[in-house]
Amino acid sequence: MTPAPTTHRRRLPVGTALTYLSLLAATAVVLLPLVVVLLTSLKTSEEVSDGGALSLPGDWLNFRNYATAFTDGHMLAAFGNTAFILVFSVGGTVVIGSMTAYAVDRFDFRAKKLVMALFLVATLVPGVTTQVATFQVVNGFGLVDTRWAPILLYMGTDIVSVYVFLQFIRSIPRSLDEAARLDGANAFTIYRKIILPLLKPAIATVVIIKGITTYNDFYIPFLYMHSEDLGTISTSLFRFKGPFGAHWEAISAGAILVILPTLVVFLLLQRWIYNGFAQGATK
């Protein structure tokens, strides 16, 4: 009589188990606040004050808070102001960042290393420490309480966009520039007709990253645009906070309305972000 075969259970290595546990913990940290906001947006004011953060709403189809946030928060005008600022600030970042990277990579000048060093040093200085001087400059141009104030501030190119453009430009052969110069093209023509069309993956990456950062910013619009009709989607949520407390159910509903566009855009275009950074790192 032959003995029954023994089955051996495969145990996960300790490193793999710790990896899964860390991923689950990171997922919980990211999703838990979103779950709390979603549940709060479906509650009444009494349920918010009497229940806990994770308590379930009495009516899962209570969308009155969303209607209140959209109408009383002037979300339609806020989306329009945000879109106007996004178009000009992101477009300016792409133009300035790509031109800066093109000049740094293709031209040799004495202060080249000094310019890059100063640019890196400037990124290490906290922006809050220079806000008094920045506000005085913007106010001197008469741009306070206009949509052009945040646009000009956002158009200041950051090191991330310059780095992304610089890595892609370094992968473009200089022989293309030399051939264009033999045909009589100047530096700007080479940039416009050769360099810029080859930077489409980098442009997509910068547009997504800069767009999401500008879309979510609260500090600059709140500081430079005081009028009620100039509110952005981030500052419009602040309307529901009064001297006697905050309407958290309306704020949560507005937050969900603000999150949905960025979530949809990120899910649709996330491969551009990963591919842009991967290609920029390997080229």
Side-chain angles (χ1 to χ4, degrees):
M1 184 174 181
T2 58
T6 58
T7 59
H8 298 280
R9 294 183 179 180
R10 297 181 59 185
R11 296 183 178 180
L12 289 176
V14 178
T16 304
L18 291 177
T19 300
Y20 283 115
L21 287 176
S22 62
L23 290 175
L24 289 175
T27 303
V29 170
V30 172
L31 293 182
L32 185 60
L34 297 178
V35 172
V36 172
V37 172
L38 179 61
L39 293 177
T40 305
S41 67
L42 298 174
K43 297 177 183 178
T44 61
S45 58
E46 291 78 12
E47 291 174 339
V48 172
S49 58
D50 297 337
L54 293 175
S55 61
L56 301 180
D59 184 9
W60 287 91
L61 299 178
N62 179 24
F63 298 115
R64 289 188 294 271
N65 296 325
Y66 290 89
T68 301
F70 192 82
T71 55
D72 294 352
H74 306 288
M75 296 297 291
L76 187 61
F79 274 109
N81 292 329
T82 304
F84 183 87
I85 294 172
L86 273 175
V87 169
F88 285 94
S89 60
V90 174
T93 298
V94 170
V95 173
I96 297 174
S98 59
M99 284 186 173
T100 303
Y102 173 65
V104 169
D105 184 69
R106 288 299 200 259
F107 297 96
D108 293 324
F109 47 93
R110 292 184 178 179
K112 180 177 179 178
K113 294 183 179 180
L114 179 62
V115 169
M116 290 302 297
L118 292 176
F119 189 77
L120 290 173
V121 170
T123 59
L124 299 177
V125 178
V128 179
T129 60
T130 60
Q131 280 302 320
V132 174
T134 303
F135 186 88
Q136 291 177 348
V137 172
V138 175
N139 188 38
F141 284 105
L143 297 178
V144 175
D145 205 21
T146 67
R147 290 182 292 187
W148 295 105
I151 288 174
L152 292 178
L153 295 176
Y154 290 140
M155 283 174 61
T157 309
D158 55 278
I159 189 61
V160 175
S161 63
V162 174
Y163 171 78
V164 172
F165 285 126
L166 192 59
Q167 296 305 310
F168 273 85
I169 291 177
R170 286 174 177 172
S171 66
I172 300 175
R174 290 178 177 265
S175 58
L176 296 177
D177 300 32
E178 297 172 356
R181 290 187 185 277
L182 292 176
D183 292 335
N186 55 25
F188 182 74
T189 303
I190 295 173
Y191 163 78
R192 182 172 58 89
K193 292 188 176 182
I194 297 177
I195 302 298
L196 196 60
L198 295 176
L199 292 178
K200 289 181 180 179
I203 291 174
T205 303
V206 171
V207 166
I208 294 170
I209 296 174
K210 187 72 174 183
I212 292 177
T213 303
T214 304
Y215 184 87
N216 293 330
D217 186 39
F218 172 82
Y219 181 74
I220 291 179
F222 182 75
L223 181 62
Y224 289 95
M225 297 192 300
H226 310 141
S227 299
E228 186 174 342
D229 58 338
L230 293 178
T232 61
I233 54 170
S234 57
T235 58
S236 294
L237 298 178
F238 199 70
R239 303 179 194 275
F240 298 101
K241 186 179 185 308
F244 303 104
H247 302 280
W248 292 112
E249 64 280 1
I251 294 176
S252 299
I256 295 296
L257 293 176
V258 170
I259 292 172
L260 284 177
T262 57
L263 181 62
V264 172
V265 170
F266 179 80
L267 292 178
L268 292 176
L269 302 178
Q270 59 178 331
R271 66 185 183 90
W272 288 96
I273 301 177
Y274 302 139
N275 291 341
F277 277 119
Q279 295 178 21
T282 55
K283 288 186 177 181

